[in-house]
Amino acid sequence: MSATDTPASLPAPAPAPDTTQRSPWGEVLHSLSRSGTFLTGLFILLFWVVCALFGQHFVPYDPLASDIIDALTPPAADHWFGTDQLGRDVFSRVIVGSRDILTVAPLATILATIAGTALGLVIGYFRGIVDDIVSRVLEAFMAIPVVIIALLAIVALGTSKITVIVVIGLSFAPIIARTVRSAVLAERELDYVAAAKLRHEGALHTMFVEILPNVIPPILVETTVRLGYAIFAVATLSFMGFGIQPPSPDWGLSISSNYGMIGGGFWWTVLFDALAIASLVIGVNLVADGVHGAFND
């Protein structure tokens, strides 16, 4: 080959394969970080969480202070969302009112998740007569509306946030238990459960150490879904007078106190509280959809 000859172009080397592998939870987090649905819902949820934690420090008025002279003032520069029938600033009440609902609803959901997970593990693992008896009891309990359970509990225990948390938590626990049961029925037939039995591990160890970590995904999805329902339940009970009590600026309670004003054209006394409830529920549902999608990718 002469000096003027050029060597034939060699094929470009193939790119090195990507040997980095994410853990299953890493894959879930990566999927969530790229999910517009999840991020939008998380932004809405975090906004209201910040309002619940720090809202009382930046609202322009005391949400509990009344001023009869300024009662039923429409939205304006001085009162962005107007005032209610007692002259209280609606904007301040909406911001601070997120605190009660974002305390009661998550605690009720946590209670429901803990109780429902424990029940689901037991009936799914033991099956047989245990499954038959407990499942029938849970189905009978689920047939009773939350409002009826709340009435009975309030008569017995009195009206308080603790009562609302317990009522909603125990009402949602059977639903979570059914979801966990279905997941456990599939897991209990796998080899690792058989291996635990061959090692003579106890039932509690097998359920909570071996099986529970493998059914976390459906539990997380169900928990986020139940949180949205819990927010609605808290607002409904407050609206009906069975939940959070005055003088709290709770959204459901504020709607209950002012909804009679709508007929007189004073729409702002109810609208902004209703929009707050709707936005919070939408945010939680978007988070739930994102979590469900991440675990099913």
Side-chain angles (χ1 to χ4, degrees):
M1 181 174 65
S2 65
T4 58
D5 294 335
T6 57
S9 59
L10 299 176
D18 184 10
T19 57
T20 60
Q21 293 184 349
R22 299 186 183 91
S23 66
W25 285 105
E27 290 287 352
V28 170
L29 293 176
H30 179 69
S31 178
L32 290 176
S33 68
R34 301 178 62 184
S35 170
T37 299
F38 174 81
L39 294 177
T40 301
L42 184 63
F43 174 79
I44 297 172
L45 184 57
L46 288 178
F47 169 79
W48 286 117
V49 169
V50 171
C51 290
L53 293 175
F54 308 109
Q56 69 273 15
H57 299 300
F58 61 78
V59 292
Y61 299 94
D62 182 350
L64 301 180
S66 59
D67 184 357
I68 301 301
I69 296 177
D70 286 333
L72 298 175
T73 300
D78 291 339
H79 298 281
W80 295 348
F81 290 177
T83 61
D84 64 9
Q85 58 184 329
L86 297 179
R88 298 173 297 192
D89 183 62
V90 175
F91 174 77
S92 300
R93 290 179 63 80
V94 169
I95 296 298
V96 178
S98 60
R99 181 169 48 201
D100 285 328
I101 201 166
L102 280 175
T103 300
V104 175
L107 289 176
T109 305
I110 292 171
L111 174 61
T113 301
I114 294 174
T117 298
L119 280 172
L121 284 168
V122 170
I123 61 181
Y125 180 77
F126 288 106
R127 298 180 64 181
I129 189 171
V130 174
D131 187 6
D132 292 338
I133 294 175
V134 177
S135 293
R136 299 297 84 75
V137 173
L138 293 180
E139 289 173 0
F141 193 76
M142 290 170 59
I144 305 174
V146 175
V147 174
I148 301 300
I149 298 175
L151 284 171
L152 296 175
I154 289 170
V155 170
L157 304 175
T159 303
S160 68
K161 291 181 182 179
I162 298 298
T163 302
V164 176
I165 291 170
V166 172
V167 167
I168 296 176
L170 295 183
S171 298
F172 290 165
I175 303 173
I176 297 177
R178 292 180 62 180
T179 300
V180 176
R181 171 187 174 275
S182 299
V184 172
L185 287 176
E187 292 291 328
R188 73 185 301 277
E189 304 300 331
L190 299 181
D191 292 340
Y192 74 91
V193 176
K197 293 179 179 179
L198 290 175
R199 295 194 307 267
H200 301 289
E201 302 286 1
L204 289 177
H205 179 277
T206 303
M207 287 187 291
F208 290 94
V209 177
E210 302 289 343
I211 297 178
L212 179 59
N214 294 289
V215 297
I216 290 295
I219 293 175
L220 288 178
V221 172
E222 189 64 37
T223 298
T224 53
V225 172
R226 289 307 122 199
L227 177 58
Y229 282 99
I231 292 169
F232 260 134
V234 173
T236 301
L237 291 176
S238 296
F239 177 82
M240 299 181 67
F242 303 145
I244 300 168
Q245 297 298 303
S248 169
D250 173 74
W251 296 336
L253 185 60
S254 295
I255 293 174
S256 176
S257 301
N258 294 287
Y259 79 96
M261 299 288 103
I262 297 178
F266 305 110
W267 49 268
W268 60 87
T269 60
V270 172
L271 175 64
F272 296 108
D273 290 288
L275 290 177
I277 296 172
S279 66
L280 181 56
V281 173
I282 289 172
V284 172
N285 286 340
L286 289 175
V287 169
D289 288 343
V291 171
H292 183 268
F295 281 119
N296 287 276
D297 282 345

